[in-house]
């Protein structure tokens, strides 16, 4: 039997009865958009994050984009302003910036944490810089106290891309509770996954929450009265109902991911496989368990030959993508090297102990090509 990278079927099968009952409740209600399930999920997710407001939207990219659009309309950002972003993030972080006619300024990460390096951020701050977008990549909190200090000193917005970090925390404070606003994704494979697309904006800023609430629904607060130029990006009732079920199990799921990571970190001891570094156990929600290997492709083939499925997050950095020709001349050597070396091992809340041991054994048996 192969070890899958992530078994979404098994993850949702654990809650099949609850999910089916919740779906039936919505079907029978006759109300499918902007109803009681959404309102309840927003309350419950905000409380779980420890932040006052959560606004459900269509997906994680829209959550990021609507934060920026909201701040543009509220006057905290202006067209052409620069947003500092880690060079090694998923492309959605960049897209949210550029689709709002803001300018992504990619900077090198700290290679130990894969997250923004505050020194590189400080060096990139210029007269047009208005915001820092911290990405809690792979589930580990960025250095939010250093970034918050920089944001305060230079009067910048601090936005969290928390799409991979549901449950990461420091001193009891969760991802989503550190910046001016945070974006979550509920793409099925995330730590809290819907059975389709979904996302949320989380913020303590009542003005932003109110604006995003209008923007996701055609810029409207009262039907057919359009105060702002909005979009259609809503979290539907079925997905909200699915997420309410899965939110009740999220703490256990994150705890399970931490146990898998602990076992990997104890068991994998290979001179050519570099393990992820962790500041504090609770800071990591282990969306992905990412190792580095200078023979990454050989390691991936070796694991597959042992029936173990791994993935690369991500093979090409955004500044090297065809979508961003204007960024092709940027030199981000560390980012580029990371993209050649990273490999994500199987990780998830249904990954069993035997499978974890097989992954460890296969890693230990890897022989580097000469
Ligand atoms: C998944 C992800 C997103 C986008 O979320 P979608 O719901 O797929 O739009 C944004 N940023 C990061 C870091 C992600 O991993």
């Amino acid at each position: 039997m192969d070890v899958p990278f992530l078994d979404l079927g098994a993850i949702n099968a654990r809650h099949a009865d609850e999910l089916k009952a919740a779906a039936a409740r919505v079907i029978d209600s006759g109300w499918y958009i902007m109803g009681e399930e959404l309102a309840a999920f927003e309350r419950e997710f905000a409380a779980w994050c420890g932040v006052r407001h959560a606004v459900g939207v269509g997906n994680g990219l829209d959550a990021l984009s609507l934060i920026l659009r909201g701040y543009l309309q509220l006057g905290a950002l202006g067209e052409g302003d620069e947003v500092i972003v880690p060079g090694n993030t998923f492309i959605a972080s960049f897209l949210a910036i550029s689709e709002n006619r803001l300018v992504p300024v990619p900077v090198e990460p700290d290679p130990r944490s894969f997250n923004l390096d505050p020194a590189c951020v400080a060096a990139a701050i210029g007269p047009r810089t208005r915001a820092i977008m911290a990405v809690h990549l792979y589930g580990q909190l960025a250095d939010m106290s250093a970034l918050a200090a920089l944001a305060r000193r230079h009067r910048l917005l601090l936005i969290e891309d928390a799409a991979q970090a549901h449950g990461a925390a420091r001193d009891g404070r969760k991802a989503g509770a550190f910046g001016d606003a945070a974006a979550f994704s509920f793409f099925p494979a995330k730590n809290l996954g819907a059975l389709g697309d979904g996302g949320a904006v989380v913020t303590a800023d009542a003005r932003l929450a109110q604006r995003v609430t209008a923007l996701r629904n055609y810029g409207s607060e009262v039907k057919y009265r359009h105060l702002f130029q909005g979009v259609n990006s809503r979290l539907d009732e079925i997905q909200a109902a699915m997420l309410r079920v899965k939110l009740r199990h999220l703490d256990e799921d994150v705890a399970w991911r931490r146990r898998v990571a602990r076992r990997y970190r104890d068991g994998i001891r290979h001179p050519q496989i570099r393990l992820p570094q962790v500041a504090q156990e609770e800071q990591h929600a282990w969306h992905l368990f990412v190792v580095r290997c200078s023979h990454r492709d050989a390691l991936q083939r070796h694991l597959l030959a042992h029936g173990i499925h791994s993935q690369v997050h991500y093979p090409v950095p955004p500044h090297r993508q065809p979508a961003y020709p204007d960024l092709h001349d940027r030199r981000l050597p560390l980012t580029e090297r990371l993209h050649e070396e990273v490999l994500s091992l199987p990780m998830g809340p249904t990954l069993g102990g035997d499978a974890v041991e097989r992954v460890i054994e296969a890693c230990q048996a890897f022989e580097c090509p000469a």
Side-chain angles (χ1 to χ4, degrees):
M1 262 264 285
D2 278 13
V3 180
F5 177 70
L6 181 74
D7 191 343
L8 281 179
I11 286 172
N12 289 321
R14 299 175 300 165
H15 316 303
D17 291 345
E18 279 182 278
L19 291 169
K20 286 174 187 169
R25 189 172 70 227
V26 175
I27 292 166
D28 293 345
S29 77
W31 192 278
Y32 307 115
I33 295 278
M34 304 275 274
E36 285 171 15
E37 297 289 341
L38 175 62
F41 174 69
E42 288 176 338
R43 274 195 309 276
E44 290 160 8
F45 190 63
W48 186 84
C49 291
V51 183
R52 194 174 295 264
H53 308 282
V55 183
V57 298
N59 54 68
L61 170 57
D62 284 356
L64 282 169
S65 185
L66 288 171
I67 290 169
L68 296 172
R69 195 179 179 105
Y71 279 128
L72 277 159
Q73 292 189 0
L74 292 169
L77 293 171
E79 203 176 305
D81 283 348
E82 293 177 357
V83 180
I84 294 174
V85 62
N88 58 322
T89 184
F90 179 56
I91 197 158
S93 321
F94 278 58
L95 292 172
I97 297 167
S98 56
E99 79 181 17
N100 282 291
R101 299 198 202 159
L102 299 162
V103 179
V105 175
V107 300
E108 295 272 49
D110 179 331
R112 289 164 302 180
S113 66
F114 303 111
N115 278 330
L116 276 178
D117 180 339
C120 295
V121 173
I125 295 173
R128 292 304 306 263
T129 310
R130 289 289 177 279
I132 301 170
M133 184 180 287
V135 183
H136 307 307
L137 202 67
Y138 307 147
Q140 179 157 237
L141 280 186
D143 184 350
M144 294 309 283
S145 42
L147 296 174
L150 275 175
R152 262 195 313 277
R153 188 169 332 130
H154 298 274
R155 297 172 170 277
L156 310 175
L157 292 169
L158 180 56
I159 295 161
E160 299 174 70
D161 179 343
Q164 301 190 358
H166 322 62
R170 200 189 64 223
D171 305 327
R173 195 168 168 197
K174 286 205 182 93
F178 292 91
D180 293 288
F184 284 90
S185 164
F186 307 123
F187 179 75
K190 306 288 182 177
N191 283 13
L192 176 60
L195 278 68
D197 274 315
V201 171
V202 163
T203 182
D205 180 342
R207 286 210 317 154
L208 182 74
Q210 194 182 5
R211 184 58 63 105
V212 171
T213 302
L215 287 178
R216 71 173 172 190
N217 189 35
Y218 303 115
S220 171
E221 286 171 353
V222 175
K223 202 167 185 182
Y224 302 133
R225 294 188 60 87
H226 303 278
L227 300 167
F228 320 110
Q229 293 183 16
V231 299
N232 176 1
S233 182
R234 300 174 296 217
L235 182 65
D236 66 67
E237 289 290 285
I238 289 268
Q239 295 310 331
M242 301 294 100
L243 287 165
R244 291 182 71 199
V245 170
K246 295 189 70 180
L247 180 59
R248 294 200 283 272
H249 303 280
L250 183 54
D251 287 326
E252 300 151 40
D253 282 2
V254 172
W256 185 272
R257 288 172 182 274
R258 291 200 174 115
R259 281 200 291 278
V260 171
R262 183 75 262 162
R263 187 65 204 106
Y264 277 158
R265 289 166 67 216
D266 289 340
I268 301 173
R269 291 175 186 270
H270 190 294
Q272 308 297 328
I273 301 175
R274 285 156 81 175
L275 294 170
Q277 295 190 28
V278 184
Q280 248 178 50
E281 295 290 335
E282 67 156 353
Q283 291 192 15
H284 215 314
W286 297 106
H287 173 57
L288 296 171
F289 189 93
V290 179
V291 300
R292 286 174 65 188
C293 178
S294 44
H295 300 280
R296 188 264 315 278
D297 295 344
L299 175 59
Q300 188 169 33
R301 280 193 301 274
H302 164 86
L303 292 176
L304 192 58
H306 287 72
I308 290 156
H309 296 257
S310 60
Q311 290 189 11
V312 174
H313 298 95
Y314 300 91
V316 180
H319 74 283
R320 284 298 174 85
Q321 295 283 356
Y324 283 105
D326 294 354
L327 296 177
H328 286 186
D329 59 356
R330 273 330 139 84
R331 288 289 157 267
L332 298 169
L334 185 56
T335 295
E336 288 152 26
R337 200 171 77 229
L338 285 176
H339 283 73
E340 286 164 13
E341 294 186 355
V342 290
L343 188 68
S344 307
L345 301 183
M347 169 54 84
T350 60
L351 191 66
D354 292 349
V356 173
E357 296 311 315
R358 278 185 54 198
V359 176
I360 293 170
E361 276 168 34
C363 284
Q364 292 301 97
F366 177 55
E367 286 177 28
C368 275

